[in-house]
Structures are given as C-alpha cells and as structure tokens.
Amino acid sequence: MLEGLQIIRDDLTGKEIAELLQTHIDDMRATSPPESKHALDLDGLRQPDITFWSVYDGDQLVGCGALKALSADHGEIKSMRTGADARGRGVGSAMLQHIIAEARRRGYTRLSLETGSMAFFQPAHRLYRRHGFTECPPFAEYTDDPNSLFLELVLCRD
C-alpha cells in the first residue's frame, strides 16, 4: 500500500463519501444505459452482506470499495472508485489488494465483479487484469449484457 494511505471501514454516513459515490453513480448513468447500470446507491450499499471501505490520504478521501458476500465461498467487488485528483497514484490497487486479502481471510475461493465494457472503463479493466482477474460468464443475478464485462479471480485456500 502507498505510504500515507489508510483504508478504513466506513458506515456511509459522511458527506464526503456520499459525494464520491454520487459522482460514481453519475458517471455510470452517463456511460451505461439504464438497464446496464449496476452501481449501488448509499441505501444499496448499507446492506448486511456488504462491507464498505474508504481510502484516505491523510484527511482527504481518495477512494472506496466494497465486498459483497454472495455465498460462503464467493464474493463480489462493488463500488470501486478512485477520486479524480488521486488517479494514477495506486489508490485503486491498494483498495483492490485490501478487498482480495479480506476475501481470502473469509475463505472465499472466488471473487467476481461486473464493470462496464465501454472505453470509459479501460483503466478499470487494466487494474483488474494486472491483479489476475480474467473474464468469466455472468454470475449471481447478472445476465449476458454487451455493456457489461464480468471478471473473476480464483482464490486458493491457504
């Protein structure tokens, strides 16, 4: 993890995280058709099967991410976002490594995610592939969608 970054569990009550997530949802609405938008709002993220973290550089919120429990051995990454001013500084990698470590700690054997397939999402595709994620079929409640890319990371039990 980058020096100075802190990843903390977040209860989603702060103004800053609400603003970052609203920017995330606004971007998803601008780039994905309504039927292909799977980003969760604050209420959607405040579910017992979702753990949410925020990333801070000092006292500045620079990113976030969440892990949703799909089953006893399968998790889904939700709401990965790096603030515009922090892109290219390793915030996304730090958050992703944190989520992968938590998935392993929970004993998951698979970690999946859905992201957009459009050019806007290419930086996310590169991030996930750099960390070992590969394409997979739709999972959980998702269906085939040309606007979605489904990725997974197979985790070994220690």
Side-chain angles (χ1 to χ4, degrees):
M1 181 162 60
L2 290 176
E3 189 174 325
L5 288 185
Q6 286 187 298
I7 298 175
I8 61 165
R9 193 163 176 173
D10 196 321
D11 64 5
L12 298 164
T13 59
K15 179 182 175 197
E16 288 180 306
I17 193 59
E19 290 171 355
L20 181 63
L21 288 169
Q22 188 59 54
T23 300
H24 180 62
I25 289 171
D26 291 346
D27 280 350
M28 298 309 99
R29 285 184 180 143
T31 57
S32 301
E35 68 275 8
S36 298
K37 185 192 80 59
H38 303 290
L40 297 175
D41 62 13
L42 283 171
D43 287 337
L45 289 166
R46 289 183 184 128
Q47 301 303 312
D49 58 347
I50 296 177
T51 305
F52 189 91
W53 297 275
S54 289
V55 185
Y56 284 87
D57 184 0
D59 62 355
Q60 181 182 9
L61 176 66
V62 293
C64 63
L67 178 58
K68 179 178 182 177
L70 297 177
S71 71
D73 64 352
H74 186 195
E76 178 184 4
I77 295 173
K78 299 295 291 181
S79 299
M80 281 278 297
R81 180 71 179 200
T82 299
D85 295 342
R87 293 195 181 128
R89 294 182 18 213
V91 172
S93 285
M95 183 75 258
L96 184 57
Q97 289 171 12
H98 181 82
I99 291 172
I100 292 169
E102 176 62 16
R104 285 191 167 116
R105 188 193 69 72
R106 292 181 184 186
Y108 292 169
T109 58
R110 187 165 56 128
L111 190 55
S112 302
L113 64 95
E114 180 278 337
T115 189
S117 62
M118 296 73 104
F120 175 86
F121 298 96
Q122 287 300 317
H125 300 170
R126 287 191 296 274
L127 171 69
Y128 295 125
R129 287 189 171 112
R130 214 171 35 248
H131 287 273
F133 284 78
T134 57
E135 287 189 42
C136 67
F139 59 93
E141 307 289 319
Y142 296 104
T143 59
D144 274 326
D145 181 345
N147 298 300
S148 289
L149 176 67
F150 302 98
L151 299 170
E152 73 176 358
L153 179 66
V154 176
L155 303 170
C156 299
R157 289 193 187 262
D158 294 331

